Amino acid sequence: MFYASMFFQYAGQYMKTRLQYRADLLVEILSDLLSQAVNFIFILVVFGHTSLLNGWSRDEIIFIYGFFLVPYAVFSAFFNIWDFNERYIVKGEMDRILTRPIHSLFQIILERLELEGLFGAVTGIAVMLYAGHNLGLQWSWADPFIFLLFVAGGSLIYGGVFVMLACISFWADARTSIMPMMYNIGNYGRYPVDIYNKAIRFVLTWILPFAFVGVYPAAFFLGREEWYGYAFLTPVMGILFFAVSVFLWNRGVKQYRGAGN
């Protein structure tokens, strides 16, 4: 309850701050929508030259993209740690974090909230509904609950991978550019993995499991029964990767030497 109370207090203060500069907030939201629109147009351009992509139709690809946007939006809102190395390690702000009686990772998540990123989830759901309508998908009463379970799993996978990358800074505090590269790799999860070769498919499933953020859970709603097993592994993979990331974080904090050492 204490952590939940802190979260809502931080979130409330964050929204008050952002609403003081409504124009900036609106520009950021429009910028995100424009980026998503560009990716959507790319899919339409690809299917302007072909009707199927390794057995996947245009609307199925659009549905997968829409699903991917939802857990990615949750991740973007709560795990904005792309500059952890430079801000908290190189500049020494980790010293300040460690003086407070609350878990350091939770503090950093609260400090780096970007709740406007959740608007991407609205876009993703709208894209899913559009593609689902074109595909004639039928929804059952359990689908919204399964959807939330899959979204939570996908968000934890993304969060776990990037927290693990942030943990590298505790042992090697030099500036690194691995975060932007991983963001680009993560985008592969919004396309069907069977369009890639076996090596890339293995990496996107078991090493950097971004396929569980997009194609595998989306395949459940598309009725692709051959992917059902992978789909229901999504929350398991999310919990596993995030648990490992927290373990590595706790070990890494013990290795932290401070900005002055």
Side-chain angles (χ1 to χ4, degrees):
M1 292 299 296
F2 172 70
Y3 277 78
S5 175
M6 286 201 64
F7 169 78
F8 285 112
Q9 290 183 47
Y10 263 88
Q13 292 301 317
Y14 175 84
M15 290 308 299
K16 290 178 184 178
T17 302
R18 296 297 289 153
L19 289 174
Q20 287 183 339
Y21 305 95
R22 294 179 178 83
D24 290 344
L25 179 61
L26 181 61
V27 168
E28 287 189 22
I29 294 173
L30 291 177
S31 176
D32 289 341
L33 291 175
L34 180 60
S35 175
Q36 294 158 11
V38 169
N39 292 324
F40 183 76
I41 291 171
F42 173 77
I43 294 174
L44 296 180
V45 169
V46 169
F47 278 93
H49 300 279
T50 180
S51 58
L52 292 174
L53 185 61
N54 201 28
W56 297 84
S57 69
R58 184 195 72 166
D59 288 315
E60 285 178 321
I61 299 290
I62 291 174
F63 185 92
I64 294 170
Y65 174 64
F67 184 94
F68 170 86
L69 288 178
V70 181
Y72 182 77
V74 176
F75 159 75
S76 299
F78 298 107
F79 293 96
N80 183 32
I81 56 175
W82 60 271
D83 61 345
F84 171 78
N85 177 277
E86 182 171 354
R87 176 168 179 172
Y88 290 94
I89 302 299
V90 176
K91 293 184 178 179
E93 290 196 30
M94 194 68 188
D95 295 352
R96 168 178 57 83
I97 295 294
L98 294 177
T99 61
R100 298 172 179 173
I102 188 172
H103 196 274
S104 53
L105 178 58
F106 186 69
Q107 288 186 64
I108 291 171
I109 289 174
L110 291 181
E111 286 191 356
R112 306 310 309 278
L113 287 177
E114 288 193 0
L115 296 179
E116 62 270 21
L118 292 175
F119 279 95
V122 177
T123 305
I125 292 172
V127 171
M128 287 176 61
L129 292 175
Y130 163 78
H133 174 74
N134 290 343
L135 291 166
L137 297 182
Q138 300 295 318
W139 305 92
S140 72
W141 65 268
D143 284 342
F145 301 100
I146 296 174
F147 172 75
L148 292 176
L149 182 66
F150 288 169
V151 167
S155 303
L156 288 176
I157 288 172
Y158 244 110
V161 169
F162 281 89
V163 170
M164 289 182 199
L165 292 178
C167 290
I168 296 174
S169 301
F170 290 122
W171 284 274
D173 55 7
R175 288 182 172 86
T176 175
S177 60
I178 194 171
M179 286 280 193
M181 179 184 72
M182 197 58 63
Y183 273 105
N184 292 330
I185 293 175
N187 288 331
Y188 285 93
R190 64 192 185 197
Y191 301 110
V193 290
D194 53 357
I195 68 174
Y196 307 123
N197 63 43
K198 291 182 178 179
I200 295 177
R201 193 183 313 171
F202 179 82
V203 170
L204 292 176
T205 301
W206 306 115
I207 308 300
L208 300 171
F210 294 120
F212 288 98
V213 181
V215 58
Y216 288 149
F220 170 79
F221 300 104
L222 293 172
R224 296 270 182 159
E225 295 184 4
E226 67 272 24
W227 301 104
Y228 279 10
Y230 289 101
F232 283 100
L233 270 178
T234 299
V236 177
M237 294 293 286
I239 293 171
L240 175 63
F241 267 72
F242 193 71
V244 171
S245 73
V246 173
F247 172 78
L248 292 175
W249 181 278
N250 292 335
R251 292 292 299 271
V253 167
K254 295 179 181 178
Q255 299 295 318
Y256 178 67
R257 296 170 297 175
N261 298 329

